[in-house]
Amino acid sequence: MKLTVHAQQQEKVGMPKFNSCCGIGYPEMCVGVPDKTRDFRSGTRNSRDSVRMKFEEKHDSYGTSIGKAQPDIGEKPQANGKSVANGDTEVCRKPEANRKPSVSGKSLSMYTWKEIQRHNQETDLWLVIDRKVYNVTSWAHKHPGGSRVLSHYAGEDATDAFRAIHLDLDVVQLYIKPLLIGELVPGEPSQETNKNSQLVEDFQELWRLLESTNMFKANFRFFFLYLAQILALEALAWLILWNFGSSWTVTLLISFLLTISQAQCFYLQHDIGHNSLFKKSKWNRLMHRFVMCHLKGLSTSWWNHQHYEHHVKPNIYPKDPNIDVGPLFLVGELQPVKYGKKKIKYINYEKQHLYFYWVALPFFVPVYFNLQTMKVMYLRRHWADIAWVTSFYIRSFITFGPFYGLFGTVLLIHFVKLLESPWIAYVTQMSHIPMKISQEENQDWLTAQVLATCNIEQSFFNDWFTGHQNFQIEHHLFPTMPPHNYHKVAPLVRSLCAKHGLPYVNKPILKAFGDIVRALKTSSALWMDAYYNA
């Protein structure tokens, strides 16, 4: 099936013209592309051919050149067909049928998928990246993203997840190189046999295209304006207090302004936490602490560990902490039936959709976020986070203390969090709770992300209100991509999904809000049936 993006769509989002031979509407990638193409970032014409890519092999039926052997992440071919690390993955490495790889003079073993899949426990944890086998058992607790992220991929191919989550692949390779124990046996597929190899290759080809066209490069003006909006709202709130006093009317007005500032701050920290601003992870971490800890008063360590687990296994029960919300709520089809058959009734789950309004919406941020932050910071002794979060409260007391006093300032902080909570709860839950929730099925990256997420229709308001999380599918596929580029790659993702028969769900925002409650009602009905009839 040929799935070409229409020219009108391309002009609308500022994409370059597409070659009709490209199966998913990729831009022309062969030698001889016109000199003038559209700049992906600005949408204006320029004389530089920003998407010219050279391929050594013939185009397949998909319209792109996909080599028989995929290159190692972060490697560049030399003339003799071997590779060196520098981040260029355009040309594929030539496989050598009977070679015996070695690292530091030590011979590496060759493994089949059957052997690898036996090492799928936290105490015996192997994973595969670019056909290389790594034993990360003893190192997992040192992993910056937490050990659970690694254990979720135990005995599986983690190539696309590895590429998606990490920013500087060359640096990461330095950490995992000592953990290398072998490679896949020649002739073994690069992924498990249950995965569609053509789909995986097509997705990786799309990834290389987006890298070559600077879709992962941040627009600093966008992020500057984002931060300026947040700081301007806080400054305006203080100026209103300074000039008009702290009456009830003024307090309600500044609370409204601070609520907008805090919600937008949440979206900004989310993007920076995914390393989408700077090219160096250390600068992203520093900026993330400034926004999340200093401006919002929440822990980056808690957020990162939980959020990355969600990203690598979205809507997979119980690996995704975002859907493991029992005993207060039962979501999907598995939890309700499990609780029902065991006659578990901590609360009346028949009315859990009402608890969403009464409990989840008002207390999601002021109670759940705050308690999780405090628990993680103090129990795990994240002293840097503690210091940064303390600076949030010091700044708040200095800014608002003269008007409200110590106790009044604490009340103002939590009142703002109470107002912010429904906003954040709706936006974070609308793209996942109504979607498929299942146990581990070991799906490829594209399939797993698309089935667990949905998009919200684009508009200026929706982009702003959701912090560009209305493009949740694109965000989950490419977590390190700056949000201002989501709408540019969406047509390509939609076409790739259509080619492989995957649903690409895009819905109005109000329907998405309602779908949360409808999904909870469906789950409660499953619980009732299992509880009373099983």
Side-chain angles (χ1 to χ4, degrees):
M1 180 189 302
K2 286 193 175 182
L3 305 158
T4 307
V5 179
H6 295 297
Q8 292 179 350
Q9 285 181 297
Q10 300 158 13
E11 291 296 327
K12 183 177 180 180
V13 299
M15 299 288 283
K17 292 184 178 180
F18 293 95
N19 186 343
S20 60
C21 75
C22 294
I24 65 165
Y26 282 179
E28 294 188 60
M29 295 181 288
C30 305
V31 177
V33 183
D35 286 338
K36 290 186 178 181
T37 61
R38 284 192 177 274
D39 191 320
F40 273 56
R41 290 165 290 173
S42 64
T44 58
R45 290 196 176 270
N46 60 59
S47 59
R48 182 169 58 89
D49 183 1
S50 62
V51 294
R52 181 168 300 178
M53 299 174 65
K54 294 182 179 180
F55 290 82
E56 294 184 346
E57 299 187 13
K58 295 180 180 180
H59 288 265
D60 63 1
S61 60
Y62 184 48
T64 58
S65 174
I66 301 175
K68 296 180 180 178
Q70 293 299 323
D72 289 341
I73 293 176
E75 293 190 349
K76 180 180 179 181
Q78 291 178 321
N80 60 4
K82 297 182 180 179
S83 301
V84 295
N86 89 335
D88 188 345
T89 60
E90 235 177 83
V91 183
C92 298
R93 196 175 73 177
K94 296 179 180 179
E96 300 175 24
N98 298 311
R99 67 185 179 88
K100 296 182 179 180
S102 63
V103 176
S104 303
K106 296 182 179 180
S107 179
L108 296 179
S109 302
M110 309 299 280
Y111 298 99
T112 64
W113 275 113
K114 186 176 181 180
E115 293 173 305
I116 294 168
Q117 289 169 343
R118 288 199 292 263
H119 301 272
N120 60 353
Q121 307 295 325
E122 289 188 11
T123 55
D124 184 17
L125 205 169
W126 291 13
L127 49 82
V128 177
I129 300 172
D130 255 356
R131 297 188 61 85
K132 291 182 171 61
V133 183
Y134 297 88
N135 183 350
V136 299
T137 308
S138 60
W139 182 80
H141 70 283
K142 300 178 183 178
H143 183 235
S147 61
R148 290 183 181 179
V149 174
L150 296 178
S151 65
H152 292 343
Y153 270 91
E156 299 179 17
D157 174 54
T159 302
D160 287 334
F162 178 81
R163 184 195 300 267
I165 297 299
H166 298 103
L167 182 64
D168 194 335
L169 298 178
D170 290 340
V171 172
V172 179
Q173 287 284 359
L174 297 178
Y175 288 91
I176 66 173
K177 187 176 180 179
L179 309 175
L180 178 65
I181 60 171
E183 288 191 348
L184 288 172
V185 172
E188 281 281 287
S190 297
Q191 307 83 30
E192 299 91 321
T193 55
N194 66 296
K195 296 178 180 177
N196 183 338
S197 60
Q198 184 60 56
L199 184 153
V200 173
E201 290 175 1
D202 289 351
F203 176 73
Q204 292 175 350
E205 183 70 18
L206 173 59
W207 189 292
R208 287 191 287 273
L209 170 68
L210 298 180
E211 282 185 324
S212 71
T213 48
N214 292 324
M215 287 294 96
F216 293 91
K217 185 175 182 179
N219 183 330
F220 288 103
R221 181 173 176 269
F222 171 88
F223 283 99
F224 172 79
L225 292 175
Y226 221 129
L227 180 60
Q229 168 197 207
I230 294 166
L231 298 179
L233 286 168
E234 291 210 1
L236 179 60
W238 183 84
L239 287 173
I240 291 174
L241 270 177
W242 179 265
N243 287 282
F244 300 101
S246 56
S247 65
W248 281 105
T249 303
V250 171
T251 300
L252 289 175
L253 176 59
I254 68 164
S255 297
F256 175 72
L257 294 175
L258 292 174
T259 297
I260 298 175
S261 174
Q262 285 292 290
Q264 295 298 318
C265 194
F266 174 82
Y267 299 137
L268 180 59
Q269 72 80 23
H270 170 266
D271 297 330
I272 298 174
H274 279 292
N275 295 313
S276 63
L277 177 53
F278 299 109
K279 293 182 179 179
K280 295 293 184 180
S281 296
K282 65 178 181 180
W283 295 114
N284 284 305
R285 286 195 296 269
L286 179 61
M287 192 64 179
H288 191 209
R289 280 208 168 102
F290 172 75
V291 177
M292 184 63 157
C293 300
H294 180 69
L295 295 183
K296 280 199 68 65
L298 297 174
S299 166
T300 58
S301 298
W302 157 70
W303 173 262
N304 285 337
H305 282 207
Q306 174 170 291
H307 195 60
Y308 282 130
E309 281 189 67
H310 160 69
H311 262 270
V312 298
K313 292 292 181 180
N315 282 17
I316 299 300
Y317 177 77
K319 292 182 177 181
D320 181 357
N322 287 12
I323 61 166
D324 191 9
V325 290
L328 187 58
F329 293 100
L330 303 179
V331 297
E333 299 178 356
L334 301 175
Q335 278 182 305
V337 174
K338 175 183 176 182
Y339 274 55
K341 288 182 176 180
K342 292 184 177 181
K343 308 302 178 184
I344 298 175
K345 188 179 180 181
Y346 292 115
I347 61 173
N348 187 356
Y349 294 115
E350 298 175 41
K351 298 181 180 179
Q352 69 170 358
H353 61 286
L354 298 178
Y355 302 149
F356 177 75
Y357 294 115
W358 302 338
V359 179
L361 290 184
F363 300 120
F364 187 58
V365 173
V367 177
Y368 176 70
F369 275 24
N370 273 358
L371 288 180
Q372 288 295 315
T373 282
M374 297 302 173
K375 182 181 77 172
V376 170
M377 283 196 311
Y378 289 102
L379 292 183
R380 299 182 183 177
R381 300 180 181 180
H382 293 304
W383 301 116
D385 274 13
I386 292 173
W388 278 96
V389 170
T390 300
S391 73
F392 163 80
Y393 287 98
I394 293 174
R395 177 178 61 85
S396 298
F397 292 139
I398 292 174
T399 304
F400 301 110
F403 304 99
Y404 295 105
L406 182 65
F407 182 69
T409 300
V410 172
L411 287 180
L412 177 65
I413 291 172
H414 286 86
F415 180 60
V416 169
K417 291 181 182 293
L418 191 71
L419 295 178
E420 175 197 6
S421 188
W423 187 345
I424 300 303
Y426 267 122
V427 170
T428 56
Q429 303 307 309
M430 66 182 179
S431 296
H432 295 291
I433 294 299
M435 302 303 290
K436 178 183 177 182
I437 297 175
S438 64
Q439 290 182 317
E440 180 61 75
E441 297 178 353
N442 191 13
Q443 296 171 318
D444 62 87
W445 181 258
L446 175 64
T447 301
Q449 304 300 328
V450 169
L451 293 181
T453 56
C454 69
N455 281 4
I456 308 304
E457 292 178 349
Q458 185 190 17
S459 69
F460 178 82
F461 174 79
N462 286 355
D463 288 353
W464 174 82
F465 185 81
T466 65
H468 294 265
Q469 294 308 298
N470 49 329
F471 288 95
Q472 192 71 190
I473 294 175
E474 286 69 31
H475 167 61
H476 263 257
L477 291 175
F478 314 106
T480 59
M481 179 179 289
H484 52 74
N485 285 334
Y486 292 156
H487 74 282
K488 298 176 182 178
V489 306
L492 299 179
V493 174
R494 183 192 291 269
S495 294
L496 182 57
C497 289
K499 177 188 176 183
H500 290 282
L502 294 173
Y504 184 96
V505 181
N506 189 36
K507 62 179 74 171
I509 191 169
L510 293 181
K511 182 180 186 303
F513 290 167
D515 283 348
I516 300 174
V517 176
R518 284 186 281 272
L520 291 174
K521 284 184 176 181
T522 300
S523 297
S524 67
L526 292 171
W527 173 83
M528 290 169 57
D529 182 63
Y531 187 86
Y532 294 110
N533 301 324

